[in-house]
Amino acid sequence: MTAFTVDGAYSGFSVDDIDAAREFYGTTLGLDVETNQMGFLDLRLPSGASILVYSKPNHEPASFTILNFPVDDIDAAVDDLISRGVHTKIYDDADFPSDERGIVRGTGGPDIAWFRDPAGNVLAVMQA
């Protein structure tokens, strides 16, 4: 018998304002968001995965992409995000040369555009 198991493993990240996170992830992005018994958020992805979003008073935004959204049409996805008030050009062109909407193309990886949640964490939409 083993005490440690990987069943039920999940990922999580912090934010500085749980209400702003609920609004952004639930309303702006359209994810299934539930408040759990501890007052944290459970993001339920269509794949069945769950991500814990917790409030942290000394939150510092992640310096890496915490959540990726693969899409069939990155141009349409970026246009949709912009129409929802999401800013997708978050990096200087010296760091990541991109078009006026923030889409980085032709780098050997997928076409990608990064954006931030209200807590400053980085997310990405990428061509699948």
Side-chain angles (χ1 to χ4, degrees):
M1 181 183 290
T2 304
F4 173 80
T5 67
V6 296
D7 294 346
Y10 60 92
S11 183
F13 59 88
S14 70
V15 296
D16 55 0
D17 183 334
I18 205 79
D19 293 327
R22 182 183 302 104
E23 177 70 16
F24 180 77
Y25 286 100
T27 303
T28 303
L29 297 185
L31 292 172
D32 180 9
V33 178
E34 294 181 17
T35 303
N36 68 23
Q37 64 275 16
M38 296 181 292
F40 299 148
L41 304 179
D42 287 323
L43 302 182
R44 305 221 187 264
L45 304 179
S47 66
S50 180
I51 301 170
L52 178 70
V53 179
Y54 57 95
S55 181
K56 184 177 175 193
N58 61 346
H59 165 76
E60 291 186 27
S63 61
F64 52 87
T65 307
I66 62 165
L67 190 55
N68 295 285
F69 296 94
V71 296
D72 292 330
D73 183 341
I74 192 164
D75 292 289
V78 166
D79 289 344
D80 189 15
L81 286 169
I82 291 170
S83 76
R84 298 177 193 206
V86 175
H87 181 70
T88 55
K89 188 167 178 70
I90 65 171
Y91 293 119
D92 185 277
D93 282 340
D95 296 324
F96 295 103
S98 63
D99 66 18
E100 67 281 354
R101 294 176 302 151
I103 302 173
V104 176
R105 302 175 193 272
T107 62
D111 292 347
I112 187 169
W114 290 277
F115 58 100
R116 296 185 189 278
D117 73 4
N121 294 310
V122 178
L123 298 91
V125 60
M126 66 179 61
Q127 185 76 37

